[in-house]
Amino acid sequence: MNPKYLLTAIVIFIMPKFIMAQTAQKPYSIFSPVPKEKLREMETDRPDVTESAITVDAGHFQYESDLFALERERPESSSQKTVTINRANLKM
């Protein structure tokens, strides 16, 4: 193999992977949580009120609940009441 092509192959295929491996950040997980100084601001997501795709930082938990909720619906012909106790969201 021509040394010129070998050197080109090394530069194109191997060097970018080596550089990325050197600068890659350690992935966070439940056992390796995001440090306190890098945490995002907490976003509330009340159960069955504001369902959203907001996530919680790795290794942290967020628990939100309605201990007691009373919902009333009044269509034209009848009314309906719904009572819920401890409706909750747990994110991790």
Side-chain angles (χ1 to χ4, degrees):
M1 182 179 236
N2 188 339
K4 185 182 196 180
Y5 294 124
L6 181 61
L7 182 60
T8 304
I10 290 173
V11 170
I12 291 174
F13 295 108
I14 297 174
M15 288 302 290
K17 292 180 183 178
F18 178 76
I19 292 168
M20 288 180 68
Q22 296 298 314
T23 60
Q25 188 180 50
K26 178 180 159 190
Y28 297 116
S29 69
I30 192 165
F31 301 111
S32 175
V34 175
K36 204 175 225 183
E37 59 275 357
K38 291 187 178 182
L39 287 175
R40 295 176 291 169
E41 188 173 326
M42 182 195 280
E43 295 286 337
T44 58
D45 185 17
R46 289 188 43 220
D48 291 337
V49 177
T50 56
E51 302 298 334
S52 66
I54 298 171
T55 60
V56 177
D57 291 318
H60 297 272
F61 299 91
Q62 181 175 337
Y63 177 79
E64 299 180 19
S65 73
D66 286 338
L67 293 178
F68 178 81
L70 173 64
E71 299 173 6
R72 296 190 313 181
E73 294 181 28
R74 293 188 184 181
E76 292 179 18
S77 60
S78 65
S79 66
Q80 179 181 355
K81 292 181 184 177
T82 305
V83 176
T84 55
I85 299 173
N86 200 24
R87 183 174 20 183
N89 285 345
L90 174 62
K91 294 182 182 182
M92 78 178 212

